[in-house]
Every structure is written in structure tokens, then in C-alpha cells.
Amino acid sequence: LAIFSAPVWTANQVHLGRLYVFRDVTHERAVERMKSEFVAMVSHELRTPLTSIKGYIDMLLDGDAGPLAVEHQELLQIVKSNADRLLLLINDLLDMSRIEAGKLMLHRAPLDVRPLIRQVATALRPQLDAKHQRLNLDLSETPPDDAPPLMFGDAARVHQILTNVLSNAIKYTPQGGEISVRLSVEPPWMCIAVQDTGIGLTPEEQERIFDRFYRVRNRATREASGTGLGLAITRSLVDLHQGRITVESEAGRGSTFRICFPLLTSLDGINDDEALAQ
Ligand code: ADP
């Protein structure tokens, strides 16, 4: 049941009472749930054959069926990169439908984010190099390795959050730009700031970039592949960790995305939080 209410006044400001409107949304909820379940089912069914296609492409590229001419290798690389894009899209759709259905499970444990940041940076090295971009990692404001700042997180999901934000910084920053990732401990939070010198965002765009399927209408966005789901998923994943994500940006100058998670020491009753998040 959805309830809306508003005060009712006469023309000369006498308060008459409140008007309540009750609306039965059972049907809408059922339709939403069916839509989510349908998307989840279709994405899952698409993923299985696609994973098999990718496996066979890799076998061919590895020469398992005999040596390939250079032209054949080049064509197969194109097939492979399109299969990879399709898999990313399907995984995003699956994540989004799980989030909407409240079915995305976190597997949380005490987590040091510094090795994760390094892993994500290494995985994105080819994209950075292809655009001649420099990446500065500043993890130094944190204590030495024997006392790492910990959060209570799902390593794979935090990896996904960092990958989304960092790969956006690369995509929406021109050739030769600079990107920095800074970790800071600001009790009761630990924050990761990803700053770029890219195309930036107007205040109106900043309001909408976390919406599902929203992509800014500009050349850089048209040329970069994407679905407009990345930041919507990222924000939901950050929320599930009881964290916050914000953006500061100036069009034409660059953007800074700040992701803050509760420091593990400041969480009272991990089990309660875990129960809430699931
Ligand atoms: P996409 O798959 O299009 O990258 P996202 O949800 O990750 O989708 O981002 C939504 C939109 O926000 C992007 O299409 C892009 O227009 C804008 N955007 C995201 N990150 C940045 C950034 N670092 N700099 C400028 N624009 C950005």
C-alpha cells in the first residue's frame, strides 16, 4: 500500500486537517518483480552459451586447432572483444536485476583495500597505456602494512566498485590525461578518491549519472562503450556496504569520485550489519 498525505488549508489559512490518499500498488509490485525475474532469467540463460563461445575463441587463439594466419588472429581478436563486451553487459543486467529484487548477497570479511586498489590498477594498465594516461596511486596516508586500515567488505564487489569508477576515469579522460587514486583514513570512514583530468560533468549531469541507463550526451560518451548501468550498480554496491559515493566535478576540467566505507573498528556488531545487508 502506498500512502500519500498533505495538509489541507482554507483560503484564510485555517488548518482543516490532512488529506490521505491510499493506493493499492500490489499489481505494480508484482509487475516489477516479474520484470526483474525475467531479466535475471534471460541474462543467466545468455551467459552460459556466451561463456562457451569465449572458451572456444580462446582455444582457437591459443592454436589448439592448428596455427592461424595473422589475418585470422586479428579477426578472432575482434570476435573476442565483442564477446567480452556482451558478457560485461549481461553481467551488469544480472547484477541490476538482483539488486532490484533485493537478492544480491554480499560475502563480507575484514578487508584491506590497498592490495585491491593495486590489483585493479594492474588490470586496467592496458587501457591506461593505450591512452597514454598516467596513474598516480597514493596509498601512503595510511599506516604501515602491519596495521592496515580495514573495512568489512565483499572483496569481489569492492573490486567491481573500484573497477567501474577507475575505468570511467580512463574512458572519460582524453589521451595523455592524468588519473590519481588516493586512500585516506578519516575515522569513522576510509575514503578512496579517484580524480581525473577528463571532460568533467555539469551540475545537472552530476545529479543524473547514478541513474540506471543514464549516459551523458557527448562525443566522449558516444565513443566509449558502456551501458549507463555501471554507476547505478556501483552506488547500490556502496550502499550495501553502508558506504557513500559522491562526485565533484567541473565541466571541461575533470571529476573526482569519492567512495567512503565505514572503518571496521567503528562498526559495532558486525553480525547485525551483515544481517541487514543480506
Ligand atoms: P557507462 O557505461 O556509460 O560508462 P556509467 O553508469 O558508468 O555508464 O556512467 C554514466 C555516465 O556518466 C557515463 O555515460 C558518462 O557520460 C558519465 N561519466 C561517468 N564517469 C565519468 C567521468 N569520470 N568523467 C566524466 N563523465 C563521466
Side-chain angles (χ1 to χ4, degrees):
L1 207 63
I3 305 171
F4 306 95
S5 82
V8 182
W9 304 88
T10 61
N12 48 0
Q13 301 298 307
V14 178
H15 186 216
L16 286 179
R18 270 189 104 73
L19 174 71
Y20 288 88
V21 179
F22 296 86
R23 203 161 64 84
D24 182 354
V25 290
T26 316
H27 179 67
E28 280 95 330
R29 291 274 153 82
V31 170
E32 282 276 307
R33 204 179 48 246
M34 273 172 61
K35 197 187 75 192
S36 273
E37 281 168 5
F38 176 75
V39 172
M41 190 265 288
V42 170
S43 320
H44 188 76
E45 293 303 318
L46 289 173
R47 206 158 60 153
T48 314
L50 185 58
T51 308
S52 154
I53 291 172
K54 273 171 56 74
Y56 284 106
I57 297 170
D58 285 339
M59 278 170 65
L60 286 172
L61 280 169
D62 289 345
D64 289 6
L68 292 177
V70 179
E71 295 80 15
H72 293 156
Q73 282 182 27
E74 283 171 6
L75 293 178
L76 269 178
Q77 282 296 352
I78 298 173
V79 178
K80 182 180 158 83
S81 76
N82 280 290
D84 286 341
R85 277 176 59 181
L86 202 51
L87 192 62
L88 284 179
L89 168 62
I90 291 170
N91 284 340
D92 276 358
L93 285 173
L94 202 52
D95 278 349
M96 201 67 238
S97 68
R98 280 197 194 123
I99 288 167
E100 283 177 354
K103 284 193 182 147
L104 193 127
M105 296 294 174
L106 293 183
H107 303 288
R108 302 172 89 180
L111 189 68
D112 179 359
V113 292
R114 293 170 306 169
L116 272 184
I117 296 175
R118 292 192 193 102
Q119 267 176 35
V120 171
T122 307
L124 292 173
R125 180 55 53 198
Q127 281 94 308
L128 283 159
D129 289 348
K131 293 185 80 174
H132 305 287
Q133 291 167 342
R134 238 199 32 206
L135 175 68
N136 306 310
L137 286 191
D138 178 2
L139 313 180
S140 62
E141 259 187 64
T142 54
D145 282 42
D146 55 345
L150 296 177
M151 63 174 287
F152 188 54
D154 180 324
R157 295 301 182 179
V158 175
H159 190 283
Q160 185 178 357
I161 291 168
L162 296 171
T163 302
N164 280 345
V165 174
L166 193 54
S167 67
N168 276 348
I170 299 171
K171 283 198 294 190
Y172 304 113
T173 297
Q175 299 259 347
E178 208 167 302
I179 294 161
S180 56
V181 180
R182 205 169 42 250
L183 175 68
S184 56
V185 176
E186 307 168 20
W189 303 99
M190 73 162 70
C191 298
I192 303 152
V194 178
Q195 185 172 13
D196 65 52
T197 56
I199 56 173
L201 294 151
T202 64
E204 298 77 49
E205 291 162 356
Q206 289 170 43
E207 296 248 313
R208 300 198 53 197
I209 50 169
F210 296 100
D211 294 349
R212 288 175 305 167
F213 298 111
Y214 177 77
R215 305 192 77 204
V216 178
R217 289 172 181 275
N218 57 34
R219 202 167 134 226
T221 303
R222 258 195 312 279
E223 285 172 0
S225 69
T227 57
L229 280 174
L231 284 178
I233 293 171
T234 300
R235 181 156 73 179
S236 299
L237 292 177
V238 172
D239 284 349
L240 283 172
H241 282 90
Q242 289 88 39
R244 316 236 181 293
I245 178 164
T246 53
V247 60
E248 264 177 44
S249 181
E250 203 179 317
R253 292 192 152 259
S255 314
T256 303
F257 284 80
R258 245 170 88 82
I259 306 155
C260 295
F261 294 113
L263 269 172
L264 186 55
T265 47
S266 71
L267 278 177
D268 335 310
I270 287 170
N271 292 331
D272 293 351
D273 273 305
E274 178 73 325
L276 270 178
Q278 305 244 328

